[in-house]
């Protein structure tokens, strides 16, 4: 009887140790996961990022884009429609990935246009006129500058702001490219939905990923 009691106590002790160990492991694993999510979140959205939509929207859609990217221009209307169809449920975070030659200049124009509250107007104008300022996938700054007045911009202010904010915008581009690299965004556009990357590029795949988070 004594031996049975000892065996029983031993088994119970082992079970208690196992349960406590499993709990501690789970807590540590959860803590590590939360830290990873927080670190990833820092790479998805920065203070300088352009954000469209409610800050507390259920879905965060992050797009790494290049103003000179033809596919970005093609997808932009679809993204707008997705947001309209899910009004208030999605916030779009725009991040720069100027992979095309001289695309930095287009980014500088966009950042300067923010000072005139015309970022989206300017971006959509750029997308609609890519054929006039891009040759063989290379941005032609002079050609872009020549047509920018048609976007309704104050060109004198735009020029002054581009020069004034040159260092700041260089840092923005550097940070965005660094985050793109960390997140594996090697092409444009690259999308992340609540931190989840769009693994297989395609409109329906993007819609499905967004719907899975709504």
């Amino acid at each position: 009887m004594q031996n049975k009691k000892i065996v029983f106590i031993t088994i119970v002790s082992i079970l208690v140790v196992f349960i406590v160990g499993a709990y501690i492991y789970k807590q540590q694993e959860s803590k590590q996961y939360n830290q990873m999510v927080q670190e990833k979140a820092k790479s998805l959205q920065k203070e300088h990022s352009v954000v469209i939509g409610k800050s507390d929207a259920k879905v965060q859609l992050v797009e790494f884009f290049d103003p000179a990217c033809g596919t970005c221009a093609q997808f932009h209307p679809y993204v707008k429609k997705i947001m309209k169809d899910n009004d208030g449920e999605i916030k779009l975070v725009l991040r720069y990935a100027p992979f095309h030659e001289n695309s930095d200049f287009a980014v500088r124009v966009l950042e300067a246009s923010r000072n005139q509250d015309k970022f989206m107007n300017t971006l959509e104008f750029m997308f609609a006129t890519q054929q006039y300022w891009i040759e063989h996938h290379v941005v032609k700054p002079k050609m872009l500058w020549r047509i920018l007045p048609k976007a309704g911009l104050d060109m004198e202010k735009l020029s002054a702001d581009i020069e004034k904010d040159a260092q700041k915008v260089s840092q923005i581009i550097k940070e965005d490219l660094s985050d793109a690299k960390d997140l594996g965004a090697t092409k444009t556009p690259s999308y992340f939905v609540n931190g989840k990357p769009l693994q297989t590029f395609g409109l329906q795949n993007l819609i499905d990923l967004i719907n899975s988070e709504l």
Side-chain angles (χ1 to χ4, degrees):
M1 181 65 70
Q2 185 68 25
N3 289 339
K4 287 183 178 180
K5 187 180 292 187
I6 293 171
V7 170
F8 176 76
I9 293 172
T10 302
I11 292 173
V12 169
S13 299
I14 292 172
L15 284 173
V16 169
V17 170
F18 176 79
I19 291 170
V20 171
Y23 175 79
I24 293 172
Y25 176 78
K26 189 174 182 180
Q27 290 295 105
Q28 290 176 337
E29 190 177 51
S30 177
K31 185 179 180 181
Q32 289 174 349
Y33 176 78
N34 289 333
Q35 288 176 341
M36 182 186 72
V37 169
Q38 289 175 1
E39 288 301 316
K40 192 174 184 181
K42 292 177 183 177
S43 296
L44 289 167
Q45 182 176 333
K46 293 293 174 65
E47 287 187 14
H48 64 251
S49 301
V50 174
V51 180
I52 301 164
K54 297 180 180 178
S55 60
D56 60 348
K58 189 174 183 180
V59 172
Q60 179 200 55
L61 173 60
V62 179
E63 176 183 352
F64 283 88
F65 79 101
D66 184 333
C69 165
T71 306
C72 295
Q74 292 171 1
F75 260 67
H76 182 69
Y78 297 125
V79 172
K80 284 182 68 176
K81 185 177 185 305
I82 291 170
M83 293 187 68
K84 184 178 180 181
D85 291 344
N86 299 278
D87 188 36
E89 296 295 320
I90 302 172
K91 71 171 178 178
L92 174 64
V93 180
L94 293 172
R95 305 293 304 275
Y96 298 117
F99 295 142
H100 288 73
E101 187 175 342
N102 295 335
S103 277
D104 284 18
F105 178 75
V107 171
R108 293 180 188 281
V109 169
L110 283 172
E111 281 298 302
S113 75
R114 293 176 73 171
N115 297 330
Q116 300 182 40
D117 295 322
K118 291 187 175 180
F119 178 91
M120 286 306 300
N121 287 347
T122 305
L123 176 59
E124 291 181 353
F125 176 81
M126 285 184 177
F127 280 159
T129 60
Q130 285 179 341
Q131 59 182 315
Y132 300 109
W133 54 277
I134 301 170
E135 289 185 353
H136 306 294
H137 306 290
V138 177
V139 172
K140 301 295 182 181
K142 289 183 179 179
M143 295 170 67
L144 175 58
W145 193 257
R146 197 176 299 140
I147 65 173
L148 277 174
K150 295 181 180 179
L153 292 162
D154 179 334
M155 297 304 291
E156 286 189 15
K157 178 172 175 52
L158 191 74
S159 179
D161 286 341
I162 287 174
E163 183 176 353
K164 173 175 65 72
D165 296 333
Q167 187 173 350
K168 181 181 78 172
V169 178
S170 292
Q171 184 60 32
I172 288 173
I173 293 172
K174 182 180 178 181
E175 285 187 32
D176 280 13
L177 285 174
S178 176
D179 288 341
K181 182 179 180 181
D182 290 343
L183 292 165
T186 58
K187 298 178 181 179
T188 54
S190 284
Y191 297 102
F192 295 83
V193 179
N194 285 349
K196 299 177 182 178
L198 180 64
Q199 299 283 7
T200 304
F201 187 78
L203 178 58
Q204 191 57 52
N205 292 333
L206 177 61
I207 292 172
D208 290 344
L209 182 56
I210 290 172
N211 286 339
S212 71
E213 294 295 314
L214 286 170

